[in-house]
Amino acid sequence: MNDIWWQTTGEGNCHLVLLHGWGLNAQVWDCITPELSAHFTLHLVDLPGYGRSGEWGP
């Protein structure tokens, strides 16, 4: 499976891509997403093999 999960939220003119650290997923941003989405368009990503994204294999 080669699906990458992402979510776009917010309506600001400036776009931010939020990437999680190793061993985490996009839910790490849940505590700050409401505040940031009031000012920016956010793109939250689960990197391959983490959270809701599929594995990409070796």
Side-chain angles (χ1 to χ4, degrees):
M1 177 178 281
N2 292 340
D3 295 326
I4 296 291
W5 179 91
W6 78 86
Q7 176 185 5
T8 300
T9 186
E11 298 182 12
N13 291 332
C14 187
H15 292 251
L16 295 177
V17 177
L18 301 179
L19 298 175
H20 59 81
W22 180 78
L24 301 172
N25 60 46
Q27 289 179 318
V28 72
W29 302 112
D30 286 353
C31 62
I32 197 164
T33 298
E35 180 66 28
L36 289 176
S37 65
H39 306 283
F40 302 98
T41 297
L42 303 176
H43 305 279
L44 300 114
V45 180
D46 278 347
L47 296 174
Y50 295 94
R52 293 154 281 199
S53 290
E55 293 281 344
W56 278 42

